[in-house]
Amino acid sequence: MFTEDQTLIRDTARAFARERLAPGAAARDRSGDIEPALLREMGELGLLGMVVNPAYDGAGADYVSYALALMEIAAGDGAISTVMSVHNAPFNAILERFGSDEQKETVLRPAAQGAFIGAFALTEAQAGSDASALRSTARKVQGGYVLDGAKEYITSGRIGRYCIAFARMEGAKGKAGITAFLVPTDTAGYTVARVEDKMGQRASDTCALRFEGLELPESARIGAEGDGYRIALASLETGRIGIAAQSVGMAQAALEMALDYAKERKTFGARIFDHQAVGFRLADLATQLEAARQLVLNAARMKDAGLPCLTEAAMAKLFASEAAERIVSGALQCFGGMGYMRDTGIERIARDVRVCQIYEGTSDIQKLIIARALGA
């Protein structure tokens, strides 16, 4: 079902995830940090510039390969898969599609090599799903802009070297005037106000940011003034395929753990797998997982074919993220009381996977997109 390149990419990501990520996932969850060496290795493997054109040192892979790789990385550590997902799309995706030649050369190229991690700062306290309600402002000054405002729930806001930030041009209303900027995070006025204390994916830093008199040259603007809303929405297909793939990967890891345990654990003289209640539960979970996987791959194949796939990406994210929570919960149940303990790793996955129904558009937003397509 996959090409030789797709299979190689999947198998490479799987080996890395199992050998390098999974053994340390629990420790990273406790410490709230990712070892820089792991991110460097991911860069060397091409995982941080997967669909970027080789002209900018990207891997030039297709979206099916990207989805397959994300599934494997998420199976190893959901938190690291989030860093990988955001870095690839929207960060790299926006720069490749809308960045200037200078931005592509000086930022996209090293980003695709994995020299650093990028962040994406759109969400605000009152502007989550309603991205047009931004309050952050950009004021035009001689030679550039000054940004002021606050962002919430920004992945890699602490470890990222660059951040794509969105603000409304001073005096503009609604979607009009929203503009995108490429912000070096060491710029004076860029402040990590808080690193959030999260339920799951604790190794992936999620931050509240403050922009206070943040001065940027005109060359930091991405696209034209007022193009920001369109730019922000342009990467939604890829982003949602990515989150759906993450969901599948985490669910796969939990199901594999449950299967292994069910085939070893014995009660009443038989493997618990052979008790119909357990066997049927696992059969149902495996079926939901396969359905989720195929929805993700369908959206990725449509993306590769150059076809519009916003609806299919929304369907994949909606189904995969909600199915993943059911699958992980069912896998945990197979362990009985052990599943509730940290030793198995299932409880960490249960915490990690929950957010997949929230970021990159909540399940309600996905249903809204799908319903609009049905009514068109």
Side-chain angles (χ1 to χ4, degrees):
M1 295 295 293
F2 301 118
T3 67
E4 185 176 340
D5 285 347
Q6 289 166 349
T7 302
L8 177 61
I9 289 170
R10 181 200 63 193
D11 292 349
T12 299
R14 178 178 297 171
F16 176 75
R18 293 184 175 182
E19 295 168 12
R20 299 287 289 128
L21 299 185
R28 284 187 290 273
D29 179 64
R30 290 191 297 270
S31 70
D33 285 307
I34 299 171
E35 308 93 309
L38 287 179
L39 296 174
R40 286 196 296 270
E41 288 181 53
M42 291 177 69
E44 291 166 2
L45 290 171
L47 296 171
L48 297 179
M50 286 205 65
V51 295
V52 175
N53 193 303
Y56 291 103
D57 292 342
D62 58 15
Y63 287 94
V64 168
S65 297
Y66 175 58
L68 291 172
L70 258 177
M71 289 177 192
E72 299 299 335
I73 297 302
D77 190 330
I80 289 181
S81 72
T82 291
V83 174
M84 173 181 164
S85 180
V86 171
H87 183 82
N88 274 282
F91 186 81
N92 285 345
I94 284 175
L95 285 179
E96 183 167 28
R97 183 171 175 183
F98 299 103
S100 66
D101 290 343
E102 179 186 358
Q103 290 167 347
K104 290 177 182 179
E105 188 62 38
T106 61
V107 180
L108 177 61
R109 185 181 298 280
Q113 295 169 350
F116 58 82
I117 294 298
F120 176 80
L122 176 64
T123 302
E124 298 182 2
Q126 75 296 328
S129 297
D130 183 7
S132 65
L134 295 186
R135 293 180 182 172
S136 293
T137 61
R139 175 166 49 91
K140 191 73 178 288
V141 296
Q142 183 67 33
Y145 302 87
V146 175
L147 270 58
D148 288 284
K151 299 291 180 180
E152 300 287 340
Y153 311 134
I154 307 305
T155 298
S156 301
R158 175 173 59 88
I159 68 169
R161 188 180 301 176
Y162 285 88
C163 174
I164 295 177
F166 296 82
R168 189 190 316 281
M169 295 304 300
E170 207 169 44
K173 298 183 182 299
K175 300 173 185 177
I178 295 178
T179 303
F181 298 91
L182 182 60
V183 181
T185 59
D186 60 359
T187 305
Y190 178 100
T191 302
V192 177
R194 183 177 62 257
V195 178
E196 302 292 356
D197 187 11
K198 298 181 296 182
M199 171 182 171
Q201 298 204 20
R202 296 174 63 83
S204 166
D205 66 277
T206 301
C207 302
L209 304 179
R210 298 290 179 268
F211 303 147
E212 299 172 309
L214 195 158
E215 298 182 6
L216 295 171
E218 191 161 349
S219 60
R221 192 186 69 231
I222 301 173
E225 290 182 9
D227 279 352
Y229 190 77
R230 178 174 66 91
I231 290 171
L233 298 186
S235 63
L236 289 181
E237 291 176 351
T238 307
R240 287 169 180 166
I241 290 170
I243 303 306
Q246 279 187 281
S247 303
V248 169
M250 285 185 265
Q252 178 71 53
L255 182 58
E256 287 176 1
M257 291 178 188
L259 282 168
D260 289 344
Y261 182 74
K263 292 174 183 177
E264 293 175 3
R265 169 74 167 148
K266 291 185 177 181
T267 62
F268 305 105
R271 304 180 305 173
I272 64 170
F273 181 85
D274 296 320
H275 297 311
Q276 191 175 82
V278 176
F280 277 17
R281 178 189 298 122
L282 290 168
D284 181 56
L285 300 181
T287 302
Q288 292 184 59
L289 179 63
E290 186 59 24
R293 191 192 320 276
Q294 294 306 323
L295 279 170
V296 176
L297 292 174
N298 176 63
R301 289 183 176 116
M302 291 182 69
K303 184 78 173 171
D304 282 330
L307 299 172
C309 61
L310 184 62
T311 303
E312 289 75 14
M315 288 178 172
K317 184 189 182 294
L318 172 65
F319 184 84
S321 63
E322 298 198 343
E325 187 177 25
R326 295 193 297 271
I327 293 164
V328 176
S329 179
L332 188 154
Q333 190 72 21
C334 289
F335 281 85
M338 279 185 60
Y340 200 65
M341 307 302 155
R342 290 194 171 184
D343 292 348
T344 62
I346 289 277
E347 69 83 32
R348 173 180 51 79
I349 298 176
R351 290 185 286 108
D352 286 351
V353 81
R354 182 60 181 85
V355 75
C356 292
Q357 296 176 56
I358 299 172
Y359 57 14
E360 283 286 348
T362 64
S363 289
D364 290 338
I365 290 296
Q366 307 311 315
K367 291 175 184 177
L368 180 63
I369 292 167
I370 297 163
R372 283 175 176 170
L374 294 175

